[in-house]
Amino acid sequence: MTEQKKLSLEECLNAATETKELLLGRDALEGIPRLLREHYDFTAACIIADENTDAAAGTQVREALSAAGIPLAASLVFPGSPRLHADCRYAARISAHIAALPGYRGLVPIALGAGTVNDLVKRAASELNLPYLCVPTAASVDGYTSYGAALLSEGFKQTFPCAAPRTLAVSTTALREAPAYLSSSGFGDLAGKIIAGTDWIIAEKAGALGAPGTEPIDPLAWNMTQTGLLDTLRLSADAVRKDAEALELLFSALSVTGFAMQRLRSSRPVSGCEHLWSHIWEMEDLSTDGSPVTHGHKVAVGTLAAAAFTEAFFAPVSPPLPSLNWKLPSRAEREAEVRAAFTTPAIPGTGPAEAAVKTALEKLMEEKRAKALAEALRDNWKEIREKVLERLPPYDELRDLIARGGCPVLPGEINLSRGEGIAAARRAQMIRNRYTVLDMAWDLGVFGEVLAKMEEGPCLR
Ligand SMILES: [Zn+2]
């Protein structure tokens, strides 16, 4: 793709299908009554938060509403500790709370919090068919403005379809006061867009050659998420050190990636295999010192693992030859492989293994088609390789940038061994029918070889 002109936040907002306005500034919370009056048909508002996020901005939001004479229904405030989980069960708690309030059809839920609170409210509001308003308290994820909410359901990470907030009020003071690890998490989520871009290039080409789980590149969404991405990362790396400009830039960039998701009703523009790595670790409830590792920190390590995988895969200048002992597994063999990879004890018939078996079998092509695809991928290897390597910064450069943004860069920092960090690639390839470099390596029969190359190499050390 040729580099285009970077679009403004306003221009990107115009591409969004659900979000109508985003207020970003020091006094943004004072604008909430106006947002409500201009964009909602409502009788009252209802705040959903946790104790930490309520302490961060709850008073200002309540004061702004009360000064404007806007009634407030009973708030739902979750405990601040242990940290709230992005699990469907809590979304159900929120919808039950709202539905039990008198005249709930006229309520506007206000999601006051970081990524988890927002995803839970997004899901609950969508179940109740109510448009909601989002008050982010940290530049921690891209999900504030995205279509869909990534939640655990019976232990399996899934993206549920649900509408983005109609409006957002973002206090830059709240972003500055948020714990530094939340800002670095947002940075990690944004760094993942590098791989989202290279995987989209791969998927577009593979899709044209007959691969499943692909989407052609949408030029506008590509421009929104990819143009100037490396520069944006370099300029926002100081968000973790509470630099005001860096934080504002980071929040805007994350919001824009959400608008791109709204436009396409898909997370393809913002999520490639780096997110599959993070989803695997989310299902495993990865934690350090008793606290769950944030989404963005898992994405940061996933981004480096994915970058190393991509580098190792495209290291040869000519297409790889299939390994001598590789053959397409039968459905039964593939199912056994997936079950062996997901050993987490679960209730029989449910849980990650069942969902992964279903997905992996959906992806398993019949032999003739698989062979034709492998041949076509080999024929187009050079072109794909060139386009991908043009976008992918060298591993060391990416690692230094991610470290500068305050993110973990070693598996040990998120409580994993290096071997576990690399091996998660196998499961990552099994959990989603979204074509990435992992699938291209699998379809060419060199998946194991690429992992062996990663093991020997310097990545994640
Ligand atoms: Zn993410």
Side-chain angles (χ1 to χ4, degrees), residues 324-339:
L324 286 175
N325 47 18
W326 187 77
K327 69 169 187 49
L328 198 68
S330 69
R331 292 180 72 79
E333 283 164 348
R334 184 63 174 150
E335 179 170 344
E337 226 171 72
V338 178
R339 287 196 189 283

Side-chain angles (χ1 to χ4, degrees), residues 313-320 378 381-383 385-386 389 453:
F313 175 58
F314 285 113
V317 280
S318 340
R378 260 182 218 112
W381 166 268
K382 282 200 168 146
E383 186 198 329
R385 177 182 184 275
E386 198 177 308
L389 295 185
K453 218 185 281 178

Side-chain angles (χ1 to χ4, degrees), residues 146-162:
S146 67
Y147 172 82
L151 299 173
L152 284 169
S153 170
E154 292 182 348
F156 195 71
K157 187 89 181 179
Q158 287 177 58
T159 303
F160 290 88
C162 37

Side-chain angles (χ1 to χ4, degrees), residues 141-143 188-190 193 261 270-271 274-275 278-279 295-296 299:
V141 283
D142 63 16
D189 212 7
L190 191 65
K193 311 317 174 214
M261 281 191 258
V270 304
S271 144
E274 79 297 333
H275 268 77
S278 80
H279 287 349
H295 170 71
V299 172

Side-chain angles (χ1 to χ4, degrees), residues 198-199 201-207 209 211-212 214 273 309-310 313-314 318-320 326 363 365 370 373-386 388 429 434-448 450:
T198 52
D199 274 342
I201 292 171
I202 291 171
E204 175 175 72
K205 193 68 197 171
L209 302 172
T214 67
C273 68
F309 188 98
T310 309
F313 175 58
F314 285 113
S318 340
W326 187 77
K363 288 167 80 163
M365 283 173 268
L373 176 63
E375 276 166 20
L377 288 171
R378 260 182 218 112
D379 291 345
N380 288 274
W381 166 268
K382 282 200 168 146
E383 186 198 329
I384 301 174
R385 177 182 184 275
E386 198 177 308
V388 166
Q429 192 268 335
R434 158 162 298 166
Y435 207 86
T436 69
V437 68
L438 300 177
D439 295 301
M440 188 171 168
W442 202 88
D443 287 341
L444 282 168
V446 295
F447 199 94
V450 176

